[in-house]
Amino acid sequence: TILPDAESLYAQLLGDTLALGILPGPPRQPKVKVLSIATDTDSYAFDPSESNVFYGDYPLRLPFYLVFQAKAQPRLKALLIRLLSPEITERLREHDFVPLPEGIRQELILTLDGKA
């Protein structure tokens, strides 16, 4: 069943204890639980944490990549650092995106600064 919005899905999930749903982000209702997922029957099932999504351990993901020429890095440095900032990370979470893990963001910022 395809529902018109997340609130309708929550209503459906709360009304049927055996129902499964794909939400646009972490559950906002305490009675709705996250389902850990494995890639196959012999693998460990992972929760959708930032690290598990980033490293591909959580199999339901749609990665978003920024690709640019290496020679453009000096021009894009300020923008890239801004995109990796805590403020943008929080905005991504608010809009149901899973941001890069903190350690990965810091490593990328150091790389952009030429310190890594």
Side-chain angles (χ1 to χ4, degrees), residues 38-107:
T39 55
D40 56 51
T41 57
D42 297 326
S43 297
Y44 180 80
F46 289 92
D47 287 337
S49 70
E50 291 176 7
S51 293
N52 291 341
V53 170
F54 175 74
Y55 290 110
D57 296 322
Y58 187 76
L60 284 182
R61 65 189 196 120
L62 183 58
F64 182 79
Y65 297 98
L66 294 176
V67 180
F68 56 90
Q69 294 178 335
K71 66 183 180 183
Q73 180 176 325
R75 285 185 297 125
L76 298 174
K77 179 180 171 183
L79 171 64
L80 296 170
I81 289 173
R82 175 77 176 131
L83 291 173
L84 296 167
S85 72
E87 296 82 18
I88 298 298
T89 297
E90 192 53 40
R91 295 292 302 267
L92 288 169
R93 285 187 187 116
E94 288 170 6
H95 294 280
D96 298 320
F97 287 93
V98 179
L100 292 173
E102 175 69 22
I104 299 299
R105 288 195 320 268
Q106 293 304 316
E107 184 179 315

